């Protein structure tokens, strides 16, 4: 689901000057979608899920697990994701909210696959949605310009052995964790926004940029016989994706992204990009896809998946 409001770079005060002042890695933004007051993260998640169901052979009653993240959740207890069951009529589904920030979709995909493999679940709905601009970014700050809103959903079942391998690791250095963070307003008792702190030396930059690449490299090194056809990364910036691809020796033509259209959609980046290229007829069944994403807090995950 994508909001109808398209916001161009030129609509921000100073136009592209905002982006010129940001780190070179955070580049490639041309436009993005901004949600209206009526388009909450929950509403967008529901619409994305309905779209996924309409493209599948399943009904809402077939779903036995809903897993993912609605960002932000307007309720601290319980999480907004629990409302998906009622909104969809998925009365047979249990609900499992997760939050690994920008890595959430891949984490949910991994967890869903694990539960299906055990026989515990048969049809899983994965949904990641973000109303990022209205609720988490300070509109007076330059970094307001980088984000976009939207939601993505995927239905997963056990009809094929599509999972190949994954590797995940958390970079627990405090300076890395604190470089990208949003405090919990419940504890600070004030309005909180996502903040990007100045790196504490080049070491922090290296950790933020190259650590996720090292996770993907470890995964590829132990799966040398797997020929990767497409790569879908978390799209923090075009230059960052190009650096990752170069370090991993992946031809740039294999990268699929939507950064020029939708900018950084945080938790919704990967499923929205997956859907976009599916609708373009670009993704073929049987192709091997590398997913990779870093997230706030330093957690990174990479996954090899057969589409």
């Amino acid at each position: 689901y994508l909001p109808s409001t398209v916001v161009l770079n030129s609509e921000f005060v100073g136009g592209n000057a905002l982006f010129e002042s940001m780190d070179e890695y955070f580049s490639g933004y041309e436009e993005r979608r901004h949600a209206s007051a009526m388009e909450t993260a929950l509403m967008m998640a529901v619409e994305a899920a309905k779209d996924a169901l309409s493209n599948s052979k399943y009904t809402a009653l077939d779903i036995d697990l809903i897993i993912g993240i609605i960002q932000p959740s307007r309720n601290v207890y319980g999480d907004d994701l629990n409302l998906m069951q009622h909104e969809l009529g998925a009365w047979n589904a249990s609900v499992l909210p997760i939050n690994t920030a920008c890595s959430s979709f891949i984490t949910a995909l991994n967890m869903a696959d694990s539960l299906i493999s055990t026989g515990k679940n048969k049809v899983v709905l994965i949904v990641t949605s973000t109303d990022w601009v209205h609720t988490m970014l300070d509109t007076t700050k330059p970094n307001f310009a980088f984000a976009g809103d939207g939601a993505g959903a995927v239905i997963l079942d056990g009809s094929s052995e599509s999972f190949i391998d994954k590797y995940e690791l958390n970079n627990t250095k405090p300076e890395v964790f604190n470089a990208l963070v949003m405090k919990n307003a419940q504890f600070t008792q004030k309005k909180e926004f996502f903040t990007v702190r100045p790196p504490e030396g080049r070491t922090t930059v290296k950790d933020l940029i190259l650590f996720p690449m090292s996770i993907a490299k470890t995964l590829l090194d132990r799966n040398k016989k797997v020929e990767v056809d497409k790569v879908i990364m978390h799209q923090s910036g075009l230059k960052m994706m190009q650096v990752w691809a170069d370090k991993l020796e992946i031809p740039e033509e294999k990268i699929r992204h939507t950064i020029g259209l939708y900018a950084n959609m945080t938790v919704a980046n990967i499923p929205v990009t997956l859907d976009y290229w599916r609708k373009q007829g670009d993704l073929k069944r049987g192709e091997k896809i590398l997913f990779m994403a870093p997230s706030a807090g330093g957690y990174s995950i990479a996954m090899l998946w057969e589409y």
Side-chain angles (χ1 to χ4, degrees):
Y1 179 86
L2 295 163
S4 59
T5 302
V6 177
V7 182
L8 304 176
N9 287 2
S10 58
E11 295 184 44
F12 295 102
V13 177
N16 291 331
L18 287 175
F19 298 90
E20 293 168 3
S21 67
M22 297 173 71
D23 190 281
E24 63 172 336
Y25 290 110
F26 297 91
S27 60
Y29 306 107
E30 297 175 15
E31 59 187 55
R32 75 283 295 133
R33 303 297 180 94
H34 281 183
S36 68
M38 301 298 294
E39 291 172 309
T40 65
L42 174 62
M43 173 264 181
M44 292 190 288
V46 170
E47 293 304 313
K50 288 179 178 178
D51 186 43
L53 279 168
S54 70
N55 285 305
S56 77
K57 61 184 179 182
Y58 298 111
T59 70
L61 291 175
D62 294 317
I63 299 170
D64 53 30
L65 175 65
I66 300 171
I67 182 173
I69 179 173
I70 291 178
Q71 179 183 261
S73 176
R74 298 194 175 194
N75 295 283
V76 178
Y77 307 108
D79 193 276
D80 286 5
L81 191 74
N82 291 283
L83 296 171
M84 291 285 294
Q85 185 197 55
H86 177 270
E87 295 295 324
L88 291 175
W91 305 118
N92 298 317
S94 55
V95 181
L96 179 60
I98 63 164
N99 184 358
T100 55
C102 297
S103 302
S104 293
F105 174 76
I106 311 179
T107 304
L109 189 61
N110 180 45
M111 295 177 68
D113 178 83
S114 297
L115 290 168
I116 289 173
S117 297
T118 65
K120 171 66 177 177
N121 296 99
K122 298 185 182 303
V123 182
V124 178
L125 170 66
I126 301 171
V127 61
T128 54
S129 178
T130 179
D131 178 11
W132 178 255
V133 173
H134 291 151
T135 52
M136 289 180 285
L137 284 185
D138 185 347
T139 58
T140 66
K141 303 294 185 182
N143 68 7
F144 167 65
F146 80 78
D149 298 330
V154 164
I155 293 173
L156 193 69
D157 65 18
S159 61
S160 67
E161 294 294 328
S162 56
F163 177 75
I164 300 172
D165 197 6
K166 61 92 182 177
Y167 183 58
E168 58 188 323
L169 196 64
N170 196 61
N171 188 336
T172 56
K173 296 179 181 178
E175 62 270 23
V176 174
F177 184 94
N178 292 321
L180 309 170
V181 70
M182 180 177 175
K183 298 293 184 183
N184 191 330
Q186 184 183 17
F187 289 91
T188 63
Q189 297 298 304
K190 65 180 183 179
K191 176 67 174 177
E192 292 291 346
F193 299 105
F194 179 78
T195 58
V196 181
R197 288 186 170 82
E200 299 176 20
R202 296 303 297 177
T203 300
T204 304
V205 174
K206 182 179 179 180
D207 285 332
L208 288 172
I209 304 300
L210 297 184
F211 180 73
M213 181 276 301
S214 69
I215 301 300
K217 187 176 188 309
T218 297
L219 180 66
L220 293 174
D221 284 347
R222 71 187 191 196
N223 291 276
K224 291 185 181 295
K225 294 183 179 180
V226 176
E227 178 64 32
V228 175
D229 298 296
K230 304 285 168 59
V231 182
I232 300 179
M233 307 173 178
H234 171 62
Q235 51 195 42
S236 300
L238 182 60
K239 179 62 181 298
M240 191 182 300
M241 289 188 286
Q242 291 170 339
V243 168
W244 287 341
D246 181 61
K247 296 287 186 181
L248 294 171
E249 298 182 341
I250 293 173
E252 194 169 330
E253 60 267 22
K254 291 188 176 184
I255 301 175
R256 297 295 181 269
H257 64 81
T258 54
I259 194 168
L261 293 173
Y262 309 132
N264 182 351
M265 299 175 70
T266 62
V267 300
N269 267 338
I270 291 178
V272 167
T273 300
L274 186 68
D275 187 60
Y276 175 87
W277 289 104
R278 178 188 68 83
K279 289 174 178 174
Q280 298 297 313
D282 180 73
L283 298 181
K284 304 296 189 296
R285 292 295 182 182
E287 287 189 322
K288 309 301 190 299
I289 300 177
L290 169 66
F291 295 121
M292 60 177 290
S295 68
Y299 167 77
S300 294
I301 184 170
M303 175 179 286
L304 282 170
W305 190 271
E306 181 177 315
Y307 178 65

